[in-house]
Amino acid sequence: MISRLAKARRIVVKIGSALLVDQKTGAIKASWLASLVDDIADARVRGTEVVVVSSGAIALGRRTLGLAKGKLKLEQSQAAAAVGQITLAQAWAETLRTRNIVAAQVLVTLTDTEERRRHLNARATLSTLLAQGAVPVINENDTVATSEIRYGDNDRLAARVASMISADCLVLLSDIDGLYTAPPGKKGAEFLPEVKDITPEIEAMAGKPVSGVGSGGMITKIEAGKIALGAGCNMVIASGHEMHPLKRVLDGGRCTWFLANASALQSRKRWIAGTLQPIGHLVVDEGAVEALSRGKSLLPAGVRRIEGAFARGDTVSIMTAKGREIARGLVTYDAGDALKIAGLKTAEIEKVLGFRGRDELVHRDDMVLMGGERA
Ligand code: GLU
């Protein structure tokens, strides 16, 4: 069987602090990182796009700042993150450079992926970075985060990123090699290679946090699994303790797969079609109806009329002149700007609005045809 990881087109790899930062010296584990970067380079040669979510800023920065051992206060963690993030990003950039890969630092807060307007921007930026061949290295923007920084936050962050960019596989590398029916080592604890549904029984198997410098243990990984699977993204929990941790998964090493029962694109389209109530209407001409049915994006040129006070990122209905809803999607301009550019050619947008916005009013990835999808 070809590994599911080998088949994935777009993956998110999350690395826990404990793997990347030596607990004794507080330094980056450079040779381990180099081995992971080798695996990332190999994945890209196979045609898989890779996004990294890397923890480690606090673990690195606390040592540099000379903060005492033990639990840090929130403001100390935030200060440590500000210092450590520089070292972390530098290590990634330098190591990726040895394989001729450009690194891009992306700091997000959990709400960036929840709030739709930011979601569209973050999604577009990450897609552009990937299209340009860069590897985005993401961490939470801990320094400005308003809530308690908890270990394991990055498990959920990675799942939200995976959902946002419609990744088909999320790899959680940590100090645990997968899910067991009871804490590993306990009598009767059995290893589970595959999980098809996150049931209350599966949730009950998640134990307490186990590692010293990072990782939320299983609980946050199961929560990440719910987000990923809901977005049509498979998830795999694997140990990052050995060198070449991705290759290990490819070679059939022990890990637990959580399997989504829909594809990422199907899930995203279902989310757009079902969960969100359209806030406005765009009435389009026949040419646009035709283009949309061929899987194209909606350009301003095809829009005849605009109704509703929608904001960027809101869901709008795309209707024919006769009032039939043909599609639904996330709009890239607010109602005021959309009114100004309706009917105009894409090249005229900048002149009218005074800034360079997106070419499409609704991008095809953010749109679902109501009469059924063409692939
Ligand atoms: N963002 C934190 C850091 O880089 C880690 C949070 C986590 O371990 O999930 O130090």
Side-chain angles (χ1 to χ4, degrees):
M1 185 192 78
I2 306 171
S3 161
R4 292 181 186 110
L5 188 56
K7 279 195 278 183
R9 298 321 329 140
R10 182 175 276 189
I11 64 173
V12 175
V13 184
K14 186 258 167 181
I15 296 104
S17 305
L19 297 177
L20 204 53
V21 183
D22 190 302
Q23 291 198 47
K24 282 197 207 89
T25 63
I28 293 257
K29 295 187 193 166
S31 53
W32 181 83
L33 179 58
S35 82
L36 172 61
V37 163
D38 281 346
D39 292 355
I40 291 174
D42 290 349
R44 286 160 46 98
V45 170
R46 283 196 310 273
T48 305
E49 291 175 325
V50 184
V51 170
V52 168
V53 172
S54 178
S55 302
I58 298 173
L60 287 165
R62 63 180 299 158
R63 183 80 55 140
T64 319
L65 275 182
L67 293 165
K69 285 212 176 94
K71 198 166 161 29
L72 298 178
K73 286 193 263 176
L74 177 59
E75 59 271 27
Q76 289 177 317
S77 296
Q78 294 188 297
V83 172
Q85 182 60 35
I86 299 177
T87 319
L88 185 64
Q90 218 161 29
W92 275 104
E94 275 165 18
T95 315
L96 284 164
R97 198 178 304 130
T98 62
R99 300 296 309 252
N100 292 320
I101 302 171
V102 174
Q105 176 187 248
V106 180
L107 296 179
V108 294
T109 51
L110 279 170
T111 52
D112 282 348
T113 51
E114 278 158 8
E115 204 214 303
R116 257 176 293 134
R117 228 159 312 156
R118 288 188 183 171
H119 174 125
L120 280 184
N121 267 2
R123 180 180 160 90
T125 307
L126 289 171
S127 300
T128 306
L129 286 168
L130 290 171
Q132 293 300 123
V135 167
V137 179
I138 303 177
N139 196 1
E140 184 162 14
N141 194 352
D142 290 325
T143 305
V144 298
T146 47
S147 57
E148 193 66 54
I149 302 167
R150 286 164 306 165
Y151 288 130
D153 281 351
N154 275 1
D155 291 335
R156 274 166 304 197
L157 182 74
R160 295 226 166 93
V161 168
S163 147
M164 181 169 73
I165 61 169
S166 307
D168 38 23
C169 184
L170 167 63
V171 185
L172 295 184
L173 294 178
S174 74
D175 44 9
I176 320 166
D177 57 5
L179 183 67
Y180 292 77
T181 53
K186 229 177 160 186
K187 223 176 130 214
E190 270 173 53
F191 178 76
L192 293 174
E194 211 171 275
V195 174
K196 290 217 170 84
D197 202 6
I198 300 182
T199 57
E201 289 77 46
I202 294 289
E203 286 181 76
M205 290 170 194
K208 289 213 172 67
V210 288
S211 104
V213 287
S215 167
M218 265 302 153
I219 300 164
T220 53
K221 291 183 176 49
I222 298 293
E223 282 173 28
K226 285 194 207 162
I227 298 168
L229 267 49
C233 175
N234 292 330
M235 182 175 95
V236 58
I237 299 178
S239 164
H241 271 317
E242 286 155 50
M243 298 291 235
H244 296 288
L246 292 181
K247 186 171 179 301
R248 210 188 129 261
V249 174
L250 282 173
D251 292 346
R254 177 180 272 214
C255 58
T256 300
W257 279 95
F258 292 75
L259 301 175
N261 53 26
S263 77
L265 196 62
Q266 281 166 341
S267 299
R268 184 170 168 80
K269 300 241 168 179
R270 206 178 294 155
W271 173 66
I272 291 169
T275 350
L276 310 168
Q277 270 310 308
I279 302 199
H281 297 105
L282 307 178
V283 179
V284 300
D285 64 19
E286 275 167 27
V289 174
E290 228 279 297
L292 262 49
S293 72
R294 281 187 287 116
K296 301 272 187 230
S297 297
L298 178 65
L299 301 178
V303 178
R304 283 288 146 82
R305 212 170 62 237
I306 285 170
E307 291 159 12
F310 50 83
R312 262 198 88 212
D314 279 343
T315 310
V316 293
S317 250
I318 301 171
M319 328 267 290
T320 64
K322 291 201 175 117
R324 186 168 61 89
E325 183 181 32
I326 51 166
R328 207 174 263 199
L330 310 181
V331 66
T332 57
Y333 289 91
D334 65 27
D337 285 345
L339 262 177
K340 288 187 205 150
I341 60 172
L344 297 187
K345 294 219 171 63
T346 300
E348 296 170 309
I349 299 178
E350 188 171 0
K351 214 167 48 207
V352 172
L353 296 182
F355 63 88
R356 174 117 172 82
R358 299 224 197 286
D359 290 352
E360 313 84 11
L361 204 49
V362 182
H363 192 278
R364 65 191 155 93
D365 288 350
D366 299 324
M367 186 197 302
V368 57
L369 297 182
M370 297 312 275
E373 265 317 282
R374 271 178 65 115

